[in-house]
Amino acid sequence: MPSPEGEIHNDLGTAMPRLASRPLQRHFGAISNVDVAHRGPLIEYNERIESGQLRDDSHQRSIVQGLQHLHDELEQYHPPEVVPPDLDASNRQPSSLWASLFGRRRIHHARRVPESLPKGLYMYGDVGSGKTMLMDMFFDTLPANIVHRTRIHFHNFMQDVHRRMHAKRMKHGMDFDALPSVTADVAAQSSVLCFDEFQCTDVADAMILKRLLEGLMSYGVVLVTTSNRHPDELYKNGIQRESFIPCITLLKARLRVINLDSHTDYRKIPRPASGVYHFPLDKAASTHAEKWFAFLGDLEHDPPHPAHHQVWGRDVFVPRASGTTAMFRFDELIGRPTSAADYLELMRWYDAFIVTDVTGMNHKQRDLARRFITFVDAVYESRARLVLTSAVPLTQLFISQGELRDVVEGGKQTGLVAEGEGTDVDDVMRSLVDDLGMNLEMLKTSNLFSGDEERFAFARALSRLSEMGSREWIERGMGLEKSGGKAEKEGWQRVRSRWREDSL
């Protein structure tokens, strides 16, 4: 039904007065008329509630708080100067158009994403979940120091990229790898790049997207996007989809994936918008942990409190507990001498664990890694839930980037890794999980692990962490209304109780 003249409807279905028109940038360039330079998304959201334009929604507020965290980081962010690539150096080795599309390795090496780059956002949800309104609030309140910002429909953006690449090939020859140069051009015009309706349905887009997005990030571009789909659902059933999987891995690693669809369980507590694993240890990390603690615990009937449990006469201390949820810092749980018996005792009392401030564990912290893997195994085998905040992505929990590069070099020497391949650390780590057999052989060329059993335990832990991060694992037994409500929760508790007894 058309809106009355002078009114529009927000995504919650509430009529609201038409706001003063602001120029909505959908091309590359700078914006000089920033009229909300000192306003953040949270202030804008609160004012809309006070004026009656929106109703206060706890789930939507938690998402706006995430936008505010990124806004605060951007206020202190100074994008690096974009230095265009050396065209001659990056195109010394001739390559076909097909090879360019697939991103075949040349003499040049991929640029690294700077550690200082703020983590972007990937917001997904169904029609009516508030995507456009949230992007409006974020983009319209970007801090004044972000002079170069762009908001554009993703389909239009990719068309523009292909046009730029074609123009450069017409100038330099069809064998010219135009993507690095185009990426630098885009990065020079946009230090914050906002995409509406991120999707991938075209094979030509799929084959260059990972290189394009990673290249933009390497130049210091912060990405914020909305989509109808979770990253795992992008380009589903597409041609050569296996070549697109590294792009999905990149999106999940470098952007905070936020579910805009509000699900309410029988306790009427909204599920946190983001996934269970969060990195890096930024301002949003503590908020992430507290939201999951409120969701998984029972703060109303069992306020947070310390707890003690006995294992063979020893005390196992839980710093914060609520209901059947326990919360630890990594050093409190793993940093002190603990054993499988301690973890199994915890499984008897709790079905959800929140572990914050997890560090990367290289070969110098193998004791920590072994204890953490034992804990992960205990959580997995008891069908409990696990929430983490970590300093590094999951793919780098047990092996640092430098160590993995040494492993890859060893794989090249033994022929397990083709020359020119395996330079992307996260892609290799994903492959380790996907194909334990071949890649365990590759790990044998290194001295990172003391034996085959330890190598297998490391890869198995990554695989289990990936499974426990799925929506199905988290929501199972939560009593969500769409899954059967309280009856589903009670049935799951009986099943888990039997599994736990078997594992203990």
Side-chain angles (χ1 to χ4, degrees):
M1 178 177 178
S3 299
E5 185 66 30
E7 285 189 343
I8 59 175
H9 281 76
N10 62 32
D11 294 298
L12 295 175
T14 307
M16 55 188 287
R18 188 174 297 278
L19 301 177
S21 175
R22 292 193 185 104
L24 181 62
Q25 179 162 351
R26 299 200 180 258
H27 60 277
F28 299 108
I31 288 183
S32 58
N33 57 332
V34 181
D35 59 342
V36 285
H38 301 293
R39 298 168 59 84
L42 194 55
I43 292 176
E44 179 74 16
Y45 183 71
N46 288 332
E47 288 187 356
R48 292 190 188 188
I49 291 171
E50 291 174 4
S51 66
Q53 298 176 19
L54 294 175
R55 66 171 179 264
D56 200 354
D57 178 86
S58 58
H59 179 74
Q60 198 167 62
R61 178 174 289 278
S62 71
I63 295 166
V64 175
Q65 287 173 339
L67 298 178
Q68 185 66 46
H69 283 311
L70 180 54
H71 176 95
D72 294 342
E73 286 189 77
L74 290 173
E75 283 187 319
Q76 308 300 320
Y77 181 56
H78 300 285
E81 180 182 357
V82 175
V83 179
D86 184 336
L87 300 186
D88 292 334
S90 62
N91 283 275
R92 287 174 186 161
Q93 186 174 333
S95 177
S96 67
L97 175 61
W98 186 251
S100 176
L101 285 175
F102 275 84
R104 298 297 186 196
R105 303 290 188 221
R106 299 185 180 214
I107 292 177
H108 72 276
H109 296 285
R111 295 170 49 88
R112 294 185 184 179
V113 178
E115 294 294 330
S116 60
L117 180 70
K119 195 168 187 177
L121 299 173
Y122 183 106
M123 300 180 286
Y124 74 98
D126 294 333
V127 175
S129 59
K131 296 190 293 289
T132 300
M133 181 193 70
L134 291 165
M135 183 67 91
D136 285 344
M137 282 197 293
F138 176 77
F139 188 79
D140 291 346
T141 61
L142 278 170
N145 59 298
I146 304 300
V147 177
H148 300 287
R149 78 277 296 275
T150 297
R151 181 180 178 185
I152 187 171
H153 193 283
F154 186 71
H155 176 70
N156 296 341
F157 171 76
M158 291 307 299
Q159 284 188 323
D160 184 80
V161 167
H162 285 295
R163 280 195 296 267
R164 291 173 182 240
M165 291 175 64
H166 177 72
K168 289 185 181 292
R169 290 196 185 104
M170 293 298 292
K171 179 179 180 180
H172 298 285
M174 294 307 292
D175 283 341
F176 179 75
D177 183 8
L179 189 57
S181 178
V182 169
T183 301
D185 291 344
V186 173
Q189 296 169 331
S190 306
S191 53
V192 172
L193 187 51
C194 298
F195 296 131
D196 288 299
E197 303 298 335
F198 188 101
Q199 60 179 326
C200 184
T201 58
D202 185 86
V203 63
D205 292 348
M207 294 305 104
I208 68 169
L209 200 49
K210 195 258 184 180
R211 290 181 67 205
L212 173 61
L213 297 181
E214 190 169 41
L216 289 171
M217 294 178 193
S218 73
Y219 283 116
V221 177
V222 178
L223 301 179
V224 177
T225 183
T226 66
S227 179
N228 292 327
R229 298 170 177 264
H230 186 280
D232 288 335
E233 300 296 314
L234 292 171
Y235 198 53
K236 204 163 188 178
N237 302 318
I239 299 172
Q240 295 284 343
R241 188 175 191 267
E242 63 276 6
S243 299
F244 186 72
I245 298 299
C247 181
I248 294 175
T249 302
L250 174 71
L251 289 171
K252 293 195 295 185
R254 293 294 180 179
L255 307 181
R256 283 188 64 211
V257 179
I258 297 177
N259 183 4
L260 301 182
D261 297 325
S262 179
H263 299 291
T264 305
D265 69 359
Y266 73 95
R267 297 172 300 167
K268 306 301 181 186
I269 299 176
R271 180 188 187 277
S274 58
V276 290
Y277 305 138
H278 177 95
F279 95 96
L281 298 178
D282 53 13
K283 292 182 179 179
S286 59
T287 303
H288 172 88
E290 291 298 332
K291 287 178 180 177
W292 276 104
F293 187 64
F295 178 66
L296 295 171
D298 188 7
L299 274 60
E300 181 179 355
H301 301 102
D302 186 23
H305 60 276
H308 296 265
H309 305 281
Q310 294 294 314
V311 178
W312 298 340
R314 291 185 295 103
D315 185 60
V316 178
F317 176 62
V318 179
R320 292 182 70 193
S322 174
T324 57
T325 299
M327 186 171 181
F328 302 83
R329 289 198 316 272
F330 180 77
D331 60 348
E332 293 170 332
L333 179 66
I334 306 298
R336 60 187 182 85
T338 48
S339 67
D342 298 322
Y343 307 142
L344 292 177
E345 178 65 19
L346 291 173
M347 301 305 134
R348 288 165 52 88
W349 293 92
Y350 305 101
D351 62 12
F353 297 87
I354 299 166
V355 183
T356 65
D357 303 306
V358 179
T359 61
M361 292 160 274
N362 59 27
H363 71 280
K364 297 180 179 179
Q365 292 93 31
R366 276 292 168 256
D367 287 343
L368 291 179
R370 293 187 188 101
R371 284 199 289 269
F372 187 65
I373 288 172
T374 301
F375 172 72
V376 168
D377 287 341
V379 172
Y380 180 88
E381 290 165 5
S382 71
R383 273 67 173 181
R385 297 173 181 83
L386 181 61
V387 177
L388 301 177
T389 66
S390 62
V392 296
L394 291 186
T395 52
Q396 298 173 31
L397 273 181
F398 306 115
I399 299 183
S400 68
Q401 287 187 326
E403 289 173 331
L404 188 57
R405 290 191 183 94
D406 292 340
V407 172
V408 171
E409 288 303 316
K412 290 177 181 178
Q413 295 174 11
T414 59
L416 290 172
V417 177
E419 192 65 34
E421 298 294 334
T423 57
D424 188 295
V425 171
D426 288 331
D427 287 354
V428 174
M429 294 301 292
R430 176 181 56 80
S431 178
L432 286 174
V433 176
D434 291 344
D435 185 0
L436 297 186
M438 184 202 77
N439 289 291
L440 284 174
E441 289 297 322
M442 184 177 75
L443 286 175
K444 288 180 183 179
T445 65
S446 75
N447 60 359
L448 294 178
F449 301 98
S450 60
D452 289 350
E453 181 60 32
E454 187 173 273
R455 296 183 187 99
F456 182 80
F458 143 79
R460 183 185 62 198
L462 284 182
S463 179
R464 288 182 165 184
L465 284 168
S466 177
E467 183 179 354
M468 289 192 290
S470 69
R471 179 172 174 176
E472 293 76 16
W473 185 282
I474 294 300
E475 293 187 351
R476 184 175 51 190
M478 287 301 301
L480 297 176
E481 292 170 355
K482 67 181 179 62
S483 304
K486 193 170 185 177
E488 185 265 350
K489 175 182 174 68
E490 293 172 347
W492 169 249
Q493 287 176 336
R494 290 192 293 270
V495 172
R496 181 179 180 267
S497 178
R498 289 195 293 271
W499 270 334
R500 185 173 56 188
E501 290 172 4
D502 291 342
S503 67
L504 295 178

